Amino acid sequence: MQRVFVLTGAGVSAESGLGTFRDKDGIWTKINLEDVATPEGFARDPAKVHAFYNARRANLAAAAPNEAHRALARLEAACADTAREFILVTQNVDDLHEQAGSQNVIHMHGELRKIRCERCGVVKPWVEDLALETKCPACTRAGHLRPHVVWFGEMPFEMDRIYDELGMADLFVSIGTSGSVYPAAAFVAFAKGMGTRTVELNLEPSENAHVFAETMYGPASIVVPLFVEQLLGGDTW
Ligand code: BJW
């Protein structure tokens, strides 16, 4: 095995105190996703969208990486030590993977701690609250800043690079995602079609569970370290 491709979703950060989206009590059971996670919702009521992401940013400020994030950072380090390639593609907008030490990370749905100006296009780190009146740090105009996240109907980031990496992977591991949002939900079928070993680690079977060759179910803080330990101790490593 030379190339490891890991996909993560909200379940990997659940035990860090960040809510998932579609579970019982998930974010989309409390708030209408069309209001806060679509460009149309933002155009209709930007103040509501800013309030939603300000609260998410505050949640993130109080969160810390868990054992699953740390195990993935160990796996990346083990790959580096043995001249293997490792890439972590996350649907999560939190930065807990980076806080745990992961380095080669693609945030396909953007980053909560970044903002983008729709007028001048600048992308900047941002940890404070955002309001309609907030001025762009680059062009100084107010009223054009938005969270640097990918909403429904928008193209996720770095898709060409992601599919290039997926096409070369020997091992595809999906962690803590329901498999209900495309294009990430289609990665496992793509990997399987390439003859890649596919593994699902999740609290319970996802919508794509039947596509995976191997599965392991339980909380991410338990199953991810266990899987990484087994992988690094195995004959094929
Ligand atoms: C644990 C655990 C623990 C819990 N341990 N596990 C019809 C058919 C096919 C596709 C479409 C369609 N209609 C529309 C589309 C496309 C659409 C889509 O997929 N819609 C579906 C809902 C049907 N997709 C898009 O629009 C995407 N763009 C796109 O396709 O571009 C091409 C295009 C562009 C223009 C025009 C046309 C096409 C963009 C999707 C953007 C998603 N954005 C969000 C919000 C990001 C910002 C934010 O965070 O606020 O991304 S929505 C939300 O869902 C977030 C997540 O990244 C994403 C995925 O959720 P995830 O991570 O899987 O979380 P959950 O909650 O669903 O699952 C958690 C899992 O963890 C569960 O399985 C639990 O069991 C498990 N778990 N605790 C381990 N402790």
Side-chain angles (χ1 to χ4, degrees):
M1 178 210 315
Q2 298 304 322
R3 288 176 177 269
V4 178
F5 184 117
V6 174
L7 171 70
T8 63
V12 81
S13 297
E15 291 160 89
S16 294
L18 301 182
T20 59
F21 295 94
R22 295 167 187 82
D23 292 313
K24 185 175 161 291
D25 296 330
I27 294 171
W28 299 153
T29 66
K30 295 173 199 149
I31 188 154
N32 185 357
L33 71 84
E34 278 155 18
D35 288 344
V36 295
T38 62
E40 295 79 12
F42 186 56
R44 251 189 333 264
D45 192 347
K48 181 173 190 167
V49 176
H50 285 319
F52 174 70
Y53 283 98
N54 289 343
R56 301 270 304 282
R57 243 176 257 116
N59 278 355
L60 177 53
N66 64 52
E67 286 306 320
H69 298 105
R70 281 192 277 276
L72 291 173
R74 285 199 298 279
L75 177 57
E76 180 171 2
C79 286
D81 287 348
T82 52
R84 290 174 168 88
E85 299 293 325
F86 175 94
I87 187 155
L88 201 172
V89 175
T90 186
Q91 298 169 85
N92 298 343
V93 296
D94 67 61
D95 60 358
L96 298 182
H97 286 304
E98 287 90 340
Q99 287 189 41
S102 290
Q103 292 183 15
N104 198 13
V105 182
I106 295 179
H107 284 270
M108 64 179 290
H109 290 166
E111 293 173 75
L112 195 51
R113 285 183 158 153
K114 287 187 180 166
I115 49 148
R116 184 165 82 240
C117 178
E118 289 191 312
R119 185 171 174 276
C120 73
V122 75
V123 175
K124 292 273 187 192
W126 197 266
V127 291
E128 294 147 34
D129 281 357
L130 200 56
L132 277 171
E133 303 74 37
T134 312
K135 289 182 179 158
C136 171
C139 73
T140 72
R141 299 294 183 98
H144 300 280
L145 293 176
R146 59 165 281 181
H148 186 52
V149 302
V150 178
W151 290 322
F152 286 103
E154 296 182 323
M155 193 60 79
F157 298 133
E158 300 204 52
M159 288 313 300
D160 288 349
R161 189 175 151 216
I162 290 172
Y163 274 111
D164 283 350
E165 294 282 353
L166 198 50
M168 292 187 292
D170 302 294
L171 171 64
F172 171 77
V173 188
S174 172
I175 304 170
T177 176
S178 60
S180 54
V181 175
Y182 290 83
F187 290 174
V188 61
F190 183 92
K192 188 178 178 182
M194 302 294 291
T196 304
R197 178 182 171 195
T198 55
V199 181
E200 169 164 276
L201 309 178
N202 210 40
L203 192 58
E204 54 193 30
S206 73
E207 291 188 21
N208 284 325
H210 60 284
V211 187
F212 288 87
E214 299 164 48
T215 55
M216 196 188 280
Y217 296 115
S221 66
I222 305 289
V223 294
V224 178
L226 191 61
F227 174 76
V228 168
E229 206 176 297
Q230 286 175 359
L231 185 68
L232 299 184
D235 294 340
T236 53
W237 188 252

